[in-house]
Amino acid sequence: MTHAIEVRGLSKSFRADRKALDDVTLQVAPGEMVALLGASGSGKSTLLRHVAGFVAGDAGEIVVNGRHVQRNGRLAANVRRVRREIGFVFQQFNLVGRLPVITNVLVGMLARVPKWRGLLRVFRADEIRSGLDALAQVGIDDYAFQRASTLSGGQQQRAAIARTLVQNARVILADEPIASLDPESSRRVMALLRQINRTRKVAVVVSLHQVDVAMRYCPRVVALRHGKVVYDGPSAALTPAMLRDLYGTEADELLRDAAPEDDASIAPMPAPALVTMHLAAA
Ligand code: ADP
Ligand code: MG
């Protein structure tokens, strides 16, 4: 079976005295949902950016959907082609605020964006329809023709996820997608990622720094510390004691929001009926 993501011996240093990634090896199967857990500075963003082919490591290799993203410190010659199958969701949404939501979403169809201005005109009617459908799937089709900047953070993040749907991504990498969102929006975004993962069998790797969120939405956790994988296994098996063992004092950062009294606020919410319906039909 081809892995959705395969990382072998990936290392990266930005400075001579410190490794941001230290011999990272992991595989993600198609249809898996994995939380990438770790304190600030542990290497989560760096790892996701390498998998996405934004940057080349110093050593090691990365294969996504059977195609090399990079090998031995060099990006693959056809990395653009590989990137097309990878949806990337950013903490700060990465939408162009002055452009309509639908335009931002349709960008997912383009391998390369020639020009932002007047972009909507380059899309065919059927493409615009599929963009609207993706927005309906994430529950914000009513906002399609508003400027992206007029949406709430949670809505903008859902638009960013709609962009990966239009892109027909087989792999979604989400780098702290809920770090800028309120608890209610966080729930919706996590539930949406899980829904897409389940119904479309898209592999999802989502970096988080809250253990409780990881455990609720992701069956598997890969935990990083100082650029090394220190745990890779079922999230159900992660206990606070184990985290303190793995992370020492940094464990507090990961466990901070996991106090029992907060439990109700992060209980998974069923995705909107609309989402279920559309995804089931897809
Ligand atoms: P996380 O996302 O888990 O907070 P990062 O991947 O952003 O961690 O960072 C891991 C380490 O790499 C940190 O020490 C950070 O300072 C360093 N780092 C990340 N990106 C760069 C960069 N572009 N230049 C220099 N150092 C970087
Ligand atoms: Mg980060």
Side-chain angles (χ1 to χ4, degrees), residues 12-15 18-21 36-50 55 175-176 207-209 224 226-227 253:
K12 176 73 171 187
S13 297
F14 293 104
R15 318 182 331 199
R18 194 173 168 184
K19 285 190 168 170
L21 294 175
L36 192 58
L37 201 63
S40 313
S42 59
K44 304 181 296 296
S45 298
T46 304
L47 176 56
L48 291 175
R49 291 168 50 78
H50 277 75
V55 307
D175 192 7
E176 306 243 13
S207 77
L208 296 163
H209 60 260
L224 290 179
H226 300 162
E253 184 184 336

Side-chain angles (χ1 to χ4, degrees), residues 188-205:
R188 295 197 72 153
V189 163
M190 288 306 296
L192 185 58
L193 288 172
R194 183 68 171 137
Q195 187 75 23
I196 290 165
N197 160 255
R198 281 194 165 140
T199 56
R200 297 194 168 210
K201 307 285 177 248
V202 172
V204 176
V205 180

Side-chain angles (χ1 to χ4, degrees), residues 14-93:
F14 293 104
R15 318 182 331 199
D17 58 337
R18 194 173 168 184
K19 285 190 168 170
L21 294 175
D22 190 353
D23 197 16
V24 171
T25 293
L26 64 96
Q27 293 92 32
V28 177
E32 254 196 304
M33 177 136 174
V34 181
L36 192 58
L37 201 63
S40 313
S42 59
K44 304 181 296 296
S45 298
T46 304
L47 176 56
L48 291 175
R49 291 168 50 78
H50 277 75
V51 173
F54 296 154
V55 307
D58 301 328
E61 64 185 313
I62 300 176
V63 180
V64 172
N65 295 326
R67 274 192 271 266
H68 269 94
V69 172
Q70 55 180 281
R71 173 160 38 185
N72 303 329
R74 299 182 70 124
L75 293 177
N78 65 339
V79 69
R80 288 224 175 97
R81 169 81 191 76
V82 189
R83 264 191 220 142
R84 253 183 267 167
E85 294 178 356
I86 305 175
F88 207 100
V89 177
F90 300 84
Q91 178 179 342
Q92 294 302 338
F93 328 127

